[in-house]
Amino acid sequence: MRHALFKLKKLKQCSFCLLASLSLFLIGNTEAHATPPPTQPLFNIYLAEASDEKITQCRSGEYHCDLAPLANEDLDQVLLQLQSSSDDSIKALLANLSGTDYDLLISSTLVKTSSERAYLALEFMTTWRGVPIDFIKIDTQQTEPSKQLKSSLLIGIKEWLVRVSQTDAFESYTLYKALGASDYINELSLPRNIGDFALSKQHLNADPFEGMLSRYIHKDFDLAVLDIYVYPLLEMQIEEQLRMSLSKEQADIKSISIALGEDALEMSEIIRVDALSKQFGVDVFAFEAKLETAFEPLFVSQYAYVKEDKIVRFSANVPMYVTDSLIPQAIGEISVPMVSTFMQQLREPLTAQLN
């Protein structure tokens, strides 16, 4: 192992550009949904109809209600004010949500009571790809409804932002729990060490279809990395999806290597690793790539197999003759979550079509 990683150790002396290339070529997209720049627009926020509960309340005869006191133009003006907020916590949360699959539906109802008191009833429904995740109600008193509506909406959205921060509404584990997706944090079991690689950190992706990344760093060479990705199969067509998963990685590598010329990249075909497949009773597929640079060659070795209903994919920045002794140890110690309610429900119509 030490001999195989000698060239990686020398990479520490290279320029920043080479290290950046190393990161891009070997590691890929390890931190999904990184914080976008603050200049990006807010995530999707829409006005919506009042809830059935609010409509029923308004029909009781005890209240006089305006079920649509705010227009889209009012919301647009409020959102512009929100974007110019001096509150860093608000800016950070909105920036993290920008570009995600979350939507916020806001319904507003102006309610006047028999005592002539009025309040703006705001209902905030957070959804992920159309699936309800969180519901919060916020009421603001109105002394001059015609003048206060937009300012009350701004106050309400800020209060909503405070509440969702307190309840971790947009944390990955909250989404997984709400959807009934796999609990990778508690049910994914991995070895603490794989050869001379030690588990360094884990990242639960914001998208449950991308699952969890676990990163291992070599104890002597901190540029030597072994990543394990665990994520659900969309359909139970195992070989096809394993090949597709690895083919996507190959396409990414080819794109990155273009700047170095056509002859810089050597990449094998995706093959079935017969020895591993026979040893563990599952189909294991793999490929290896080598990228020549002006300094030292860069390597990537990738393997993928299916356990339960999850794809387990390894990506290492060392040659395959090094990983061939590591992957069997890792496979033998990995235990993944059982099939989730979320994926069962998604696969039912797909399975019905195939049958």
Side-chain angles (χ1 to χ4, degrees):
M1 173 65 78
R2 292 177 184 271
H3 174 73
L5 295 175
F6 176 68
K7 290 183 178 180
L8 289 172
K9 186 175 182 181
K10 291 202 297 183
L11 282 173
K12 295 180 181 180
Q13 303 170 8
C14 299
S15 67
F16 174 81
C17 291
L18 178 58
L19 294 183
S21 298
L22 181 73
S23 177
L24 285 172
F25 177 68
L26 303 173
I27 307 306
N29 297 323
T30 59
E31 298 292 342
H33 303 293
T35 301
T39 54
Q40 288 196 0
L42 297 175
F43 77 116
N44 298 325
I45 302 178
Y46 307 100
L47 290 181
E49 295 181 354
S51 66
D52 291 341
E53 178 186 358
K54 182 60 63 178
I55 292 174
T56 300
Q57 178 189 25
C58 288
R59 287 175 177 172
S60 66
E62 299 180 27
Y63 307 93
H64 175 72
C65 298
D66 180 352
L67 293 173
L70 290 166
N72 288 324
E73 293 78 8
D74 299 320
L75 177 61
D76 290 341
Q77 292 177 27
V78 168
L79 295 182
L80 285 174
Q81 290 180 267
L82 198 61
Q83 283 180 299
S84 61
S85 171
S86 59
D87 189 324
D88 290 339
S89 62
I90 289 179
K91 287 182 178 180
L93 178 56
L94 293 175
N96 283 329
L97 292 174
S98 180
T100 67
D101 291 314
Y102 287 101
D103 293 334
L104 174 61
L105 308 179
I106 306 175
S107 71
S108 60
T109 304
L110 182 59
V111 181
K112 295 181 179 179
T113 67
S114 55
S115 60
E116 297 302 319
R117 297 180 62 184
Y119 64 93
L120 183 66
L122 297 170
E123 298 174 308
F124 296 86
M125 172 70 78
T126 306
T127 68
W128 182 85
R129 297 187 182 181
V131 179
I133 299 298
D134 186 63
F135 183 74
I136 292 175
K137 296 188 290 185
I138 297 173
D139 296 339
T140 59
Q141 295 298 321
Q142 305 289 299
T143 55
E144 295 182 86
S146 61
K147 298 179 180 180
Q148 287 181 265
L149 291 178
K150 284 187 285 189
S151 61
S152 295
L153 176 60
L154 179 61
I155 292 170
I157 293 177
K158 288 183 176 180
E159 174 63 23
W160 171 79
L161 286 167
V162 170
R163 293 197 193 181
V164 294
S165 296
Q166 292 173 341
T167 59
D168 295 334
F170 292 107
E171 293 296 331
S172 298
Y173 55 81
T174 302
L175 173 62
Y176 281 50
K177 184 176 180 180
L179 294 175
S182 292
D183 183 359
Y184 293 94
I185 293 176
N186 295 306
E187 297 179 10
L188 174 63
S189 178
L190 300 172
R192 301 302 301 177
N193 295 279
I194 303 174
D196 288 333
F197 289 81
L199 183 60
S200 173
K201 66 176 182 177
Q202 292 181 292
H203 174 70
L204 185 63
N205 283 289
D207 188 336
F209 293 110
E210 296 177 3
M212 176 171 274
L213 161 68
S214 302
R215 171 157 294 179
Y216 291 76
I217 305 293
H218 193 274
K219 66 178 184 179
D220 295 323
F221 308 106
D222 56 10
L223 289 179
V225 174
L226 170 63
D227 286 339
I228 300 179
Y229 301 82
V230 182
Y231 49 96
L233 281 161
L234 294 181
E235 304 172 27
M236 298 307 286
Q237 297 171 305
I238 293 175
E239 180 174 344
E240 179 182 345
Q241 288 197 56
L242 286 177
R243 288 186 176 275
M244 285 177 58
S245 182
L246 292 177
S247 293
K248 181 181 181 303
E249 296 300 312
Q250 286 187 324
D252 291 342
I253 291 171
K254 289 177 182 177
S255 297
I256 292 168
S257 70
I258 289 174
L260 295 174
E262 293 182 2
D263 298 332
L265 177 64
E266 297 178 19
M267 187 155 56
S268 72
E269 297 294 325
I270 296 171
I271 60 168
R272 182 179 183 273
V273 185
D274 291 335
L276 288 176
S277 300
K278 183 177 180 180
Q279 180 179 353
F280 294 100
V282 294
D283 288 330
V284 182
F285 293 87
F287 75 88
E288 181 180 27
K290 177 183 177 182
L291 184 67
E292 294 289 351
T293 75
F295 299 92
E296 298 287 348
L298 308 179
F299 297 93
V300 62
S301 302
Q302 293 215 13
Y303 303 74
Y305 72 100
V306 169
K307 188 174 182 65
E308 303 298 343
D309 72 325
K310 307 292 189 298
I311 291 178
V312 181
R313 180 166 59 84
F314 302 91
S315 180
N317 60 353
V318 294
M320 191 169 280
Y321 69 82
V322 176
T323 54
D324 277 345
S325 63
L326 300 175
I327 301 306
Q329 175 190 339
I331 292 177
E333 296 186 43
I334 292 175
S335 177
V336 304
M338 296 294 290
V339 59
S340 67
T341 303
F342 175 61
M343 291 308 301
Q344 276 184 322
Q345 293 172 342
L346 284 178
R347 291 192 189 110
E348 283 177 0
L350 295 173
T351 304
Q353 289 177 11
L354 292 174
N355 295 335

